[in-house]
């Protein structure tokens, strides 16, 4: 293997420099770690089919690997501390990996891959003296994909679990009591915090802290907060009420006759209705079309000179992707099917000019 | 001379048939009394005010704006040809009539939710454009509003089209109202509304402010049922082709109905989680819809016919209530309304539904007991007006009792069908008078339909004010087996009247219930009623009730000798009366337990308050527990029980009243001190659960303190309140818990008026205060619906202050009363300030309130402050108070004299307050004026204002110009060039799309640019009104219409087609008009320039056609206006 030379060289140089300079065990450990990482990187490269690598790239990869591993460690530590523990557990690591965007499910399969290279155990400078504790039973042997120099599995007895459980607090009174006082505590803490951090009013002139009232602040639009249910309530409503569904379907039928407004100026008013040019509407056909004057499109101002009209029509169609026009010579209202992007919907064009009547040709400039 | 109504408008120019016309603008109501620094008595003011209002009353042919017809046109008038009036005017920062809501946030007007709407009390359209502001002058309308492209303009009639302006920044809404409508029923709302088409009725559209669409959906989802109900009972379709509901902020009133649209307060919107608001909102919707039929579509002939409209709409609204909420609710409502009107009339002395103002009878003023004139809607106190409406529908109900509901509905149907026939007959003005209802016309159709004479009833309740007050007592004559009933009347106290006629008495005996009709006569007090059953209490037998039910009763309580269980006088409330009836306590208890009528139950609960006995307690408790019983009865039983318990405090045994009951109903089985998690699916028990703690908190122990047990109980309720599993919001429930806490507060034991500090705070109060603090603070983070909890907290804090637990200080309330808080909070806070002003006699706070009355942006709040001050005045007329001084008198005088001229309601509110504080005569705190004047005042109650008479004449004769009025004589010069442009605008709009020159549309263009509030709304409107054409005009116009059906045709109003079979009138009118429309094309570009300039004022101009067709025969009126009443008396056609 040609690349092993490079790997070995890299490894060797590391070792060399390590043996030369390092004298204290901390440095030693540091170097050993780095060397191991280099070996790992090299073997991974080999695995990936590289035959040789420049030193700089190996170094870079090593650096990346190291920071990746450090990040896992740091993050796992945070997770474990967050749950008030000192030692990370497997779940901390898993959460960390997930958080870092790693697909954990692929890990076992990767560990068992056939073409993997086994790295030799790093030389242990000073073997930690493990006090031979009382052994009970036979430890499980390592599966083939775990190098033998890895620590042994714990004693079998550590796997034995004796389920112990406290009687769950099923006493209704206690539960209610607990829920009530918990909520009250939270509320009080929260309001006091708000009162402390903000402006307050007081009922007693001499004492401002015992009953602090958060100062009244006028709203710019007072009815919104007063009328709209809070998010909490909305959530509740969704959970308890399903009758909203019916209303939803009702309103979905509404927007079918609204044409997208060219200038977009009208959007504020009808945005809700416009957003879903539902297909159900076109399915239902014309019978179900709600003809409400407020849903009708806004007309363009009338154009005075007849000669200009066609030009105007073209312009507005170009500019506005389907404007609804009113022409002075008042031909019959025509329905023109207009494909607009992905969705297809009906446009109502009133009094369309004769040349436009022959739309439907894809090549026609009037067709969208 | 032509007179129109107009207020606040700046009129630049008036043209009649393109000729400049001189005009005078004189509004005597701007300042009621002039230069009268000494006069401070209310009598004087009221007379002057009434005179001022009459001087511009459109029904009397008067108006603020007098236009002199140029002499060149006198010939036209003589020939009774069309006169077309153009008025160029602008409206700058209107103080009334139109209300702008402009939240001060970042963003464009649409993003900020800025909107504007028309509002007012009765006929107030003159505040925003010149018109004949009367309910009796009908015409058809064409309205145009040009607004910012992000806005929607909602107005009356059908939206014909919406067109962009040339710069695409604005759009113009074109409305057509083809049903003849009075100017007073015209309205407008503009804002960035969200649009919802009613899923059940596509011609109904709902509008609300941004972000509220989900609420709107839920709130209006019920409306179609109301429609169906009314259409069914009236057997008449909804008269307009469309209906619009608009929900706006800072509403003037909760519900305002206009032709084909209603404006509601946005605070009526609610989500599906809110229980308490739902019925209230539905009632508002139903009320407004009832008024669409009677009030908007059918209008009134004159002010004295108002009661018919209010009566009918209130009556059919009542029928809707009966159907929707059930008979119990309906009867309860009737009783409530009856009690209200009775209380009001007894207090103030009479509400007159149909004021008659005969020429000679002016002297005996029917309303001399009142401090205001009832001749005009605009002089009425608001409270009087609400009571007036209440009485009107009660009287309608009395009429129904007399002629049966079937006939009643037939009468309504007749009125409606006549009106709708009339409305579709476009050009026949005499038909249009069918759309106006008058008292005599209404009574005539009643007698036609039913064949019954209801004249006595009308005389008693409509033509006369006052209610009846009965005192009843009885004795049972065992020998004759006769019930001797004595019924006395009090008809001497104010607000009462004598009743003569039939009176129903229901006697429940052992053998059953029997109705007797007594004839109340002049001098008969005693009535003998034979009893059917012998006293036989030993026989066990079921007792039949009125409704046919038979029940077992424990008869041990009753008198052994008498077979009478209970007696009711006028059980059906067929007299507007108050009954004070004496019967034994056990009879009331039987009545409560076994009478099935909710009104009877309510009455007995009220009566039982006077009988604090264990038996009463038992009866009330039984009712409370009975689930079949009407929830409102159970609720009032709670309060009665609390009162009884307090009266029997020394002998009371067992736990505090209602506690065990509440525990049984709402607490957990296993731990009785913990309330169940909330489940408000059953509304009856929800209301009971809300009410019981409030009533319990009123309990007092021997030391007159709230028992500790009760307080702990309520605190526990609050503590264990858990709404997580509930489908509904518990905000009202929590608010009532705070009310309960407030109810439990008793006056603090104070030593030498020491200053209240934390250290000497009562421990119970400390607990209460802690809860209030927490609730109030939580509201800031998680606000409840309509801030009910904040409202309750503020009230509770005021209670604590008042009882001396917390130092009395208005600062907190003042901060909550500021503009920018939700209106309910503001009102609650202001109420507390008003109360503080009274208790602490604070001049400073009174000034603060008065200042707010003058300057607050929300008209409703200003009205409400006056109202609250009147109800809870800092002092009254016979009271010595440091607050009562000359400066205050002057201030209030100024307020009602000139400060409130833009809002009728506010002015009347100020008058009410002045009356409460100082009475009718000169305030006592003023220094004595010259002796002569005082004597003068005392001799003559009604002193005529010496200045008002010449002024009225001045208004009529246009001769003298009152120096203080805003009269301006504009000659033939053109004050504003741009006006000219906008005048031509309409020619542009009309376009020469028909080769034939069409008559120029009468209409008006209004462009607004509200600079003060920075609303860049542009409104252009075109209004057709008072178009009177002769038949020639009609025919040729009709031809025009046929030729171009797509063009919105102009409306014709009244004319007598049948009388002019031959076209004789010249066509000159039309040629002239078409010429002008051609001419206008040239000016088109100028107009554009003008628009770009965005002048900071609004222009509006109006054209008015008035062509009087010549009367040849038959028709007694010379002026073929629909309101014949106006035409006869109208001095407006002086030429």
């Amino acid at each position: 293997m040609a690349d092993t030379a490079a790997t070995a060289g890299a490894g060797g140089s590391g070792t060399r420099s390590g043996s030369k300079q390092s004298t204290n065990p901390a440095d030693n450990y540091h170097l050993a770690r780095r060397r191991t990482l280099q070996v790992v990187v090299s073997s991974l490269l080999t695995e990936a089919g590289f035959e040789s690598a420049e030193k700089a790239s190996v170094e870079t990869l090593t650096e990346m690997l190291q920071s990746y591993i450090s990040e896992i460690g740091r993050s796992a530590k945070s997770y474990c501390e967050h749950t008030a523990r000192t030692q990370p557990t497997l779940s901390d690591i898993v959460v960390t990996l997930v958080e870092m965007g790693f697909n954990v499910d692929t890990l076992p399969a990767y560990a068992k891959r056939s073409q993997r290279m086994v790295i030799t155990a790093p030389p242990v400078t000073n073997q930690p003296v493990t006090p031979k504790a009382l052994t009970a039973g036979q430890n499980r042997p390592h599966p083939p994909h775990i190098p033998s120099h890895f620590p042994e599995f714990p004693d079998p007895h550590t796997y034995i679990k004796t389920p112990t459980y406290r009687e769950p607090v099923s006493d209704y009174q206690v539960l209610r009591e607990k829920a009530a006082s918990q909520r009250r505590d939270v509320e009080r803490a929260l309001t006091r915090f708000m009162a402390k951090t903000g402006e307050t009013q007081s009922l007693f002139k001499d004492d401002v802290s015992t009953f602090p009232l958060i100062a009244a602040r006028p709203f710019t639009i007072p009815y919104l907060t007063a009328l709209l249910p809070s998010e909490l309530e909305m959530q509740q409503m969704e959970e308890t009420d399903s009758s909203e569904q019916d209303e939803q379907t009702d309103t979905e039928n509404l927007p079918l006759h609204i044409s997208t407004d060219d200038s977009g100026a009208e959007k504020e008013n009808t945005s809700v209705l416009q957003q879903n040019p539902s297909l159900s509407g076109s399915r239902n056909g014309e019978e179900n079309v709600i003809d409400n004057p407020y849903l009708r499109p806004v007309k363009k101002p009338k154009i005075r000179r007849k000669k200009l009209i066609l030009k105007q029509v073209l312009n507005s169609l170009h500019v506005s992707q389907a404007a609804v026009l009113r022409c002075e010579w008042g031909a019959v209202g025509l329905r023109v099917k207009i494909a607009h992007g992905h969705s297809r919907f009906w446009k109502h064009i009133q009094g369309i000019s004769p040349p436009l009547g022959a739309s439907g040709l894809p090549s026609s400039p009037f067709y969208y | 001379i032509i007179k129109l109504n107009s207020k606040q408008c700046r009129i630049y120019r008036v043209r009649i048939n393109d000729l400049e016309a001189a005009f005078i603008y004189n509004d005597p109501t701007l300042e009621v009394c002039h230069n009268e620094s000494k006069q401070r008595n209310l009598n004087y003011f009221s007379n002057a005010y009434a005179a001022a209002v009459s001087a511009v009353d459109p029904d009397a042919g008067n108006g603020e704006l007098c236009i002199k017809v140029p002499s060149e046109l006198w010939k036209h008038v003589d020939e009774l040809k069309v006169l077309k009036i153009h008025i160029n005017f602008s409206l700058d920062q209107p103080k009334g009539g139109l209300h702008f809501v402009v939240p001060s946030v970042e963003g464009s007007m649409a993003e900020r939710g800025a909107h504007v709407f028309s509002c007012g009390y009765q006929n107030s359209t003159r505040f925003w454009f010149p018109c004949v502001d009367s309910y009796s002058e009908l015409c058809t309308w064409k309205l145009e509003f040009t607004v910012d492209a992000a806005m929607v303009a909602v107005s009356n009639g059908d939206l014909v089209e919406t067109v962009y302006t040339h710069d695409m920044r604005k759009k113009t809404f074109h409305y057509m109202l083809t049903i003849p409508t009075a100017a007073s029923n015209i309205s407008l709302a503009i804002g960035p509304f969200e649009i919802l088409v009613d899923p059940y009725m596509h011609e109904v559209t709902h509008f609300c402010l941004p972000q509220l669409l989900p609420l709107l959906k839920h709130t209006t989802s019920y409306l179609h049922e109301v429609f169906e109900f009314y259409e069914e009972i009236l057997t008449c379709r909804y008269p307009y082709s469309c209906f619009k509901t608009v929900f706006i902020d800072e509403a003037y009133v909760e519900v305002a109905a206009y032709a084909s649209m209603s404006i509601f307060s946005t605070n009526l919107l609610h989500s599906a989680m809110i229980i308490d608001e739902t019925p209230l909102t539905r009632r508002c919707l139903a009320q407004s819809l009832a008024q669409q039929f009677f009030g908007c579509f059918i209008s009134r002939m004159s002010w004295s016919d108002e009661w018919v409209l209010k009566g009918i709409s209130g009556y059919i609204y009542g029928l809707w209530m009966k159907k929707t909420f059930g008979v119990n609710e309906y009867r309860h409502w009737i009783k409530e309304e009856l009690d209200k009107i009775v209380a009001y009339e007894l207090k103030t002395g009479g509400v007159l539904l149909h004021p008659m103002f005969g020429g000679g009878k002016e002297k005996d003023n029917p309303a001399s007991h009142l401090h205001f004139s009832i001749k005009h809607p605009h002089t009425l106190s608001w409270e009087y007006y609400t009571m007036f409406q209440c009485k009107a529908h009660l009287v309608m109900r009395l009429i129904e009792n007399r002629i049966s509901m079937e006939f009643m509905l037939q009468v309504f149907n007749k009125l409606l069908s006549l009106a709708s026939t009339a409305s579709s007959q476009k050009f026949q003005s005499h038909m249009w008078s069918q759309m106006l209802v008058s008292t005599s016309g209404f009574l005539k159709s009643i007698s036609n339909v039913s064949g019954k004479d209801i004249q006595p009833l009308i005389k008693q309740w409509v033509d006369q004010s006052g209610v009846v007050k009965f005192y009843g007592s009885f004795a049972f004559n065992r020998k004759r087996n006769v019930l001797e009933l004595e019924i006395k009347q009090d008809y001497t106290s104010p607000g009462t009247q004598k009743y003569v006629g039939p009176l129903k008495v229901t006697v429940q005996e052992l053998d059953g219930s029997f109705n007797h009709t007594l004839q109340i006569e002049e001098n008969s007090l005693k009535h003998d009623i034979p009893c059917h059953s012998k006293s036989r209490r030993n026989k066990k037998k079921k007792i039949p009730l009125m409704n046919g039910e038979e029940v077992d009763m424990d008869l041990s309580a009753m008198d052994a000798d008498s077979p009478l269980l209970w007696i009711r006088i006028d059980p059906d409330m067929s007299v507007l009366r108050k009954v004070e009836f004496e019967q034994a306590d056990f009879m009331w208890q039987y009545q409560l337990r076994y009478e099935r009528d909710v009104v009877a139950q309510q009455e007995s609960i009220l009566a039982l308050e006077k009988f604090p006995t264990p038996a009463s307690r038992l009866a009330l408790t039984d009712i409370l527990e009975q689930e079949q019983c009407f929830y409102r009865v159970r609720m009032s039983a709670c309060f009665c029980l609390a009162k009884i318990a307090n009266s029997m405090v020394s002998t009371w045994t067992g736990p505090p009243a209602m506690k065990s009951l509440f525990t049984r109903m709402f607490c957990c089985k296993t731990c009785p001190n913990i309330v169940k998690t909330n489940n408000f699916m059953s509304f009856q028990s929800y209301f009971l659960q809300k009410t019981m703690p409030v009533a319990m908190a009123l309990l007092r122990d021997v030391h007159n303190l709230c028992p500790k047990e009760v307080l702990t109980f309520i605190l526990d309720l609050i503590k264990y309140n858990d709404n997580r599993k509930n489908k509904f919001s518990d905000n009202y429930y929590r608010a009532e818990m705070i009310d309960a806490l407030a109810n439990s507060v008793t006056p603090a034991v104070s030593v030498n008026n020491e200053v209240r500090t934390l250290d000497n705070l009562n421990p119970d109060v400390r607990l209460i205060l802690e809860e209030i603090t927490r609730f109030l603070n939580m509201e800031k983070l998680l606000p409840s619906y309509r801030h009910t909890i904040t409202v309750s907290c503020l009230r509770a804090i005021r209670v604590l202050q008042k009882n001396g637990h917390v130092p009395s200080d208005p600062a907190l309330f003042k901060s909550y009363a500021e503009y920018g808080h939700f209106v309910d909070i503001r009102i609650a806070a202001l109420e507390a300030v008003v109360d503080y002003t009274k208790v602490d006699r604070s001049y400073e706070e009174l000034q603060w309130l008065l200042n707010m009355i003058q300057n607050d942006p929300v008209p409703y709040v200003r009205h409400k402050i006056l109202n609250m001050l009147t109800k809870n005045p800092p002092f009254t007329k016979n009271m010595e108070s440091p607050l009562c001084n000359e400066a205050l008198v002057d201030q209030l005088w100024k307020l009602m004299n000139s400060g409130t001229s833009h809002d009728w309601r506010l002015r009347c509110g100020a008058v009410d307050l002045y009356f409460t504080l100082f009475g009718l005569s000169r305030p006592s705190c003023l220094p004595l004026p010259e002796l002569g004047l005082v004597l003068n005042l005392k001799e003559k109650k009604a002193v005529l204002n010496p200045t008002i008479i010449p002024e009225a004449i001045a208004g009529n004769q246009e001769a003298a110009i009152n120096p203080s009025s805003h009269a301006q004589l504009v000659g033939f010069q053109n004050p504003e060039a741009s006006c000219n442009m906008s005048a031509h605008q309409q020619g542009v709009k009309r376009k020469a799309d028909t080769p034939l020159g069409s008559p120029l549309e009468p209409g008006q263009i209004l462009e607004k640019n509200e600079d003060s509030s920075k609303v860049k709304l542009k409104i252009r409107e075109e209004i057709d009104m008072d178009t009177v054409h002769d038949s020639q005009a009609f025919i040729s116009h009709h031809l025009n219409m046929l030729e171009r059906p797509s063009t919105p045709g102009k409306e014709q109003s009244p004319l007598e087609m049948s009388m002019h079979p031959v076209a004789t009138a010249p066509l000159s009118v039309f040629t002239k008009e078409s010429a002008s429309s051609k001419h206008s094309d040239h000016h088109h570009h100028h107009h554009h320039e003008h628009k770009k300039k965005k002048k900071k004022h609004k222009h509006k101009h109006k054209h008015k056609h008035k062509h009087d067709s010549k009367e040849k025969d038959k028709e007694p009126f010379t002026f073929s206006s629909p309101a014949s009443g106006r035409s006869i008396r109208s001095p407006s056609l002086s030429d």
Side-chain angles (χ1 to χ4, degrees), chain B residues 503-522:
Chain B
L503 183 72
K504 194 165 138 188
V505 173
T506 305
V507 182
Q508 174 72 47
E509 298 177 37
L510 289 172
D511 275 3
S513 187
F514 302 97
N515 289 330
H516 305 270
T517 307
L518 307 181
Q519 208 57 39
I520 304 289
E521 277 153 27
E522 208 63 32

Side-chain angles (χ1 to χ4, degrees), chain B residues 160 177 182 227 257 341 387 389 416 445 451 487 491 558 589 724 854 917 967 988 993 1023 1122:
Chain B
V160 182
L177 183 55
F227 260 99
I341 185 74
M387 285 303 138
Q389 298 177 43
L416 283 171
S445 58
I487 294 178
Y491 45 82
M558 67 186 289
Q589 285 151 15
R724 279 174 298 181
Q854 286 166 65
L917 296 185
V988 176
D993 47 1
I1023 298 172

